[in-house]
Amino acid sequence: MSIIYDEKQKTISLHTKNTTYQMQIDRYGFLLHLYYGRYAEGCMDYLLTYYDRGFSGNPYEAGTDKTYSMDSLPQEFPSLGTGDYRTPACIIKNTDRTYCSDFRYVTHTIREGKYSLPGLPAVYADDSEAQTLEVVLEDPVTGVLAVLLYGVLPEYDVITRSVKIVNASKGYISVKKLAPACLDLVGGDYDFLTFYGRHAMERNCQRMPVGHGTSKIGSLRGTSSHQYNPAVILAEHDATEDAGSCYGMAFVYSGGFQSEAGKDQYSQTRLLMGFSEEQFAYPLNPGEDLQSPEVIMTYSGEGLAKLSQNFHRCIRTHLCRGKYKETVRPILINSWEASYFDFTGESLLALARQAADLGIEMFVLDDGWFGNRDSDLRGLGDWKVNEKKLGCSLGELITKINGMGMKFGIWIEPEMVNEDSELYREHPDWAFVIPGRRPNRSRYQLVLDFSRKEVVDYIYEQICAVLDQGNVEYIKWDMNRSLADIYSATADSQGRVLHDYVLGLYDFLERLVNRYPNILIEGCSGGGGRFDAGMLYYTPQIWCSDNTDPIDRLEIQYGTSFIYPASSVGAHVSASPNHQTRRVTSMKTRGMVAMAGTFGYELNLNELGEEEKDEIRRQIAEYKKYAALVQRGTYYRLTNPQTDNQGAWEFVSEDQREALVQVVGIKKHANMTVDYIKVKGLKENTMYRDTETGRLYNSTALREAGVPKPVLEGEYQAYQWHFVCED
Ligand code: GLA
């Protein structure tokens, strides 16, 4: 039993293999949070303290007891209006136009299996792998319910949380703020780790102390965004990769979000994750409900590496779906950086022929194949194959590419429209534009109103008509601007549109994965602008960044690795000098960095010399050797490329018999000092052989003293060790 209700103590404990989460229904029916941390049994309500504190009010039924205050007690689902003046998880505007919600315990149920969420992505599990706790809270005055859901996956040290607001009151209400996950920690000093960035430089890790006042990150863009990722970590001040307590929250959602962390007046920490409050006011008529997306939570008492590994395992095996979830993904060549919009059917076939000759397994036709799309000025929305440009039908092109022994994949951007398109001329009201205002343009395009079913249905039909023209085995689903000018002609309230947009997107994707179960979908939003756990439910890999420079990628992939598994990280070898940074790097360095994700190429192969082509052939053979280890192995960060001389990481097989350690030099100095790379996750005091050199190493010494990275000539040199257990 992973969920235990103690009738006497009124505690509910959620146990996983290594962690325990505990709450208590207290004497007034408030649901208090008691404990989240290492596995522990018994009742932890001794952690609650009661003192008479100035300006911290008391619920009426506490009578003359001035020591009982919601302003200081740790809670599971704090709402505005109970006397808790900290940042609430929920704000509801009631029928009487007040903003008070006073949720009290009504009942709870425990059941086998993991709950699912209609219309939303969510972690899934067999009945034997998970349990669900449902706690019903009610505001006794309005009758509004908050139904808290907890999914417990013991083997994964994961607890998920979602909440449903049910309007069981007699009138119209509006949900102004909703954060399904709240974590109140009564003691301790924590750092807030967030992943900030920009287009082409996503998910830089920032670690800052949680102070008094609230640190808030989030996205107002209608998507999870390049600027902040919807996943955060609270780590003890002195927590490292290998030691210390840390808590992670990953939002399984692709729309606007916010996460808030702060210390209250008594130095207690609160962490929240939920919908972005801006432009959010979700209307509920009597009988209607709003189900929030879920948050994946995990705790590690053994530092950040273990925390990340918990996320990786859960996301890879219980969130990603479909045929390619566990299979090694095909090595692809993408046409974008090879020729951008400038191609013909002949030039595509020439690229494909060269790719096939090198051993590449799939050809991906990127932007520019449809409508009038010879530049980004026009064409989005017109999903008709440009046969004139291709010189043949799509079906014929695919047949030719299949004939070369390669799979075929195609780029789409279904959520968008250019003003210069047939679709926009016919349905100008389908794009987000506020009547009477001129819209914000971004990359010359507008966003289609996916909160409207007829818009989703129409685009879905157009896209299916393309996919049905041949043997398409891969889709790159792109999304190249942020939402603005939110106005939906048919909505009863504009405060619902941003969330309904995401629901429309998920509805489209769900239909697509069901209709084409054999197609691998790669998510993309100008690279990693929508790299989140929500998208990974539909697209098991996401183009990590439009920046393919391997040295910048060290940092981008480092930040990404805190939450997301390598199997989800789209990474390609591109040209040198790099198109984004003009940096010159070797094919070896580019290959090694791309091999730490779902591997592919994105450059004009026909411009390469014979030597480089041979190198690619060797690279492909090598990748095939290690692909399963990269995709399923346990991941360790060995350095911090944001501050260290090297970017280094490691994949260890589940049985710990094999490890791949990869390192890329960043800074180069004269008369170099030597960097020692400390190798992790191997069996204790066991001999391992480096298969490249044949040299034997002791695993404990590898961890404690490290292995010297050879000082190689030139900048940005890559090196790797492949260790195999000797016994
Ligand atoms: C985005 C993607 C790129 C490419 C272009 C095509 O920027 O991230 O990989 O597909 O769009 O327009």
Side-chain angles (χ1 to χ4, degrees), residues 76-258:
E76 282 300 307
F77 189 60
S79 56
L80 191 73
T82 60
D84 179 356
Y85 294 94
R86 291 168 288 183
T87 314
C90 177
I91 303 176
I92 293 174
K93 186 175 180 188
N94 297 311
T95 315
D96 64 5
R97 299 195 295 270
T98 60
Y99 291 89
C100 175
S101 303
D102 185 3
F103 290 116
R104 309 290 178 107
Y105 172 88
V106 178
T107 184
H108 77 269
T109 46
I110 296 169
R111 51 179 192 266
E112 296 308 311
K114 160 80 175 49
Y115 65 81
S116 56
L117 301 174
L120 285 165
V123 166
Y124 57 87
D126 289 344
D127 280 2
S128 61
E129 289 177 308
Q131 278 195 316
T132 292
L133 166 70
E134 183 178 305
V135 187
V136 180
L137 308 177
E138 184 194 33
D139 179 332
V141 174
T142 61
V144 172
L145 305 177
V147 182
L148 311 187
L149 285 170
Y150 298 79
V152 184
L153 283 79
E155 277 305 310
Y156 294 82
D157 285 331
V158 155
I159 295 172
T160 62
R161 285 194 65 174
S162 170
V163 57
K164 181 163 74 176
I165 301 295
V166 183
N167 184 6
S169 80
K170 295 205 170 55
Y172 169 90
I173 65 168
S174 158
V175 183
K176 308 276 291 174
K177 177 177 186 181
L178 192 58
C182 171
L183 182 62
D184 275 355
L185 299 168
V186 285
D189 273 320
Y190 296 94
D191 289 342
F192 190 35
L193 277 70
T194 59
F195 303 94
Y196 72 94
R198 54 192 185 274
H199 175 232
M201 204 60 218
E202 301 89 337
R203 290 174 297 286
N204 304 274
C205 179
Q206 172 174 272
R207 184 170 179 160
M208 58 180 168
V210 176
H212 291 90
T214 304
S215 300
K216 177 175 169 183
I217 59 130
S219 161
L220 277 62
R221 295 168 179 268
T223 62
S224 47
S225 89
H226 299 89
Q227 286 69 18
Y228 294 99
N229 195 265
V232 296
I233 297 170
L234 269 191
E236 276 181 336
H237 265 331
D238 49 4
T240 62
E241 285 288 341
D242 309 307
S245 277
C246 31
Y247 303 86
M249 284 188 182
F251 204 15
V252 188
Y253 192 57
S254 311
F257 77 97
Q258 64 189 38

Side-chain angles (χ1 to χ4, degrees), residues 194-342:
T194 59
F195 303 94
Y196 72 94
R198 54 192 185 274
H199 175 232
M201 204 60 218
E202 301 89 337
R203 290 174 297 286
N204 304 274
C205 179
Q206 172 174 272
R207 184 170 179 160
M208 58 180 168
V210 176
H212 291 90
T214 304
S215 300
K216 177 175 169 183
I217 59 130
S219 161
L220 277 62
R221 295 168 179 268
T223 62
S224 47
S225 89
H226 299 89
Q227 286 69 18
Y228 294 99
N229 195 265
V232 296
I233 297 170
L234 269 191
E236 276 181 336
H237 265 331
D238 49 4
T240 62
E241 285 288 341
D242 309 307
S245 277
C246 31
Y247 303 86
M249 284 188 182
F251 204 15
V252 188
Y253 192 57
S254 311
F257 77 97
Q258 64 189 38
S259 179
E260 296 155 281
K263 272 186 182 173
D264 69 9
Q265 55 183 331
Y266 307 117
S267 294
Q268 308 183 114
T269 299
R270 173 171 287 175
L271 175 65
L272 294 165
M273 174 71 88
F275 286 117
S276 168
E277 267 172 274
E278 277 83 7
Q279 298 188 72
F280 185 78
Y282 208 88
L284 294 180
N285 287 309
E288 290 181 343
D289 59 53
L290 170 64
Q291 179 76 58
S292 84
E294 73 176 8
V295 174
I296 304 174
M297 301 194 305
T298 186
Y299 167 82
S300 157
E302 295 151 50
L304 293 159
K306 179 73 169 42
L307 190 90
S308 299
Q309 289 158 9
N310 291 349
F311 274 126
H312 295 174
R313 275 181 76 212
C314 176
I315 290 174
R316 184 167 60 78
T317 64
H318 285 72
L319 187 64
C320 293
R321 299 179 295 172
K323 179 176 153 185
Y324 285 96
K325 166 176 139 173
E326 292 286 359
T327 0
V328 167
R329 317 281 160 74
I331 300 171
L332 63 84
I333 171 77
N334 179 297
S335 68
W336 183 243
E337 286 196 26
S339 54
Y340 299 98
F341 290 109
D342 187 16

Side-chain angles (χ1 to χ4, degrees), residues 503-661:
L503 294 179
L505 165 71
Y506 289 155
D507 172 41
F508 192 137
L509 283 161
E510 185 64 26
R511 283 193 249 170
L512 206 61
V513 297
N514 288 324
R515 179 164 163 160
Y516 303 101
N518 292 326
I519 293 186
L520 168 63
I521 312 181
E522 176 155 348
C524 179
S525 175
R530 200 161 56 183
F531 202 122
D532 57 63
M535 285 307 287
L536 288 171
Y537 186 67
Y538 308 96
T539 72
Q541 61 192 56
I542 298 176
W543 183 226
C544 183
S545 178
D546 270 352
N547 187 343
T548 56
D549 176 306
I551 305 308
D552 277 357
R553 272 289 182 124
L554 293 176
E555 292 179 45
I556 298 168
Q557 293 178 194
Y558 168 81
T560 307
S561 79
F562 278 87
I563 311 293
Y564 305 102
S567 60
S568 68
V569 173
H572 299 165
V573 172
S574 62
S576 178
N578 177 270
H579 288 192
Q580 292 81 42
T581 62
R582 310 309 299 169
R583 198 190 323 254
V584 175
T585 54
S586 69
M587 184 62 84
K588 184 170 178 189
T589 297
R590 282 175 275 154
M592 199 170 290
V593 175
M595 276 188 208
T598 62
F599 188 57
Y601 292 84
E602 188 159 340
L603 72 170
N604 190 347
L605 299 168
N606 289 314
E607 284 173 359
L608 301 180
E610 281 314 309
E611 219 172 278
E612 276 186 307
K613 287 183 193 166
D614 281 343
E615 208 174 339
I616 289 182
R617 285 193 186 92
R618 284 197 298 275
Q619 221 165 48
I620 287 173
E622 185 171 82
Y623 175 72
K624 287 190 168 167
K625 235 171 34 194
Y626 300 130
L629 180 60
V630 169
Q631 188 157 332
R632 294 193 279 270
T634 309
Y635 185 86
Y636 291 89
R637 291 173 290 274
L638 303 183
T639 64
N640 175 354
Q642 295 180 184
T643 51
D644 293 337
N645 262 349
Q646 318 280 344
W649 58 91
E650 179 187 9
F651 300 95
V652 182
S653 65
E654 214 176 324
D655 62 7
Q656 296 173 290
R657 296 190 61 82
E658 188 187 1
L660 182 66
V661 176

Side-chain angles (χ1 to χ4, degrees), residues 690-702:
D690 173 19
T691 57
E692 181 72 15
T693 60
R695 186 164 182 166
L696 278 172
Y697 295 86
N698 175 285
S699 60
T700 303
L702 280 175

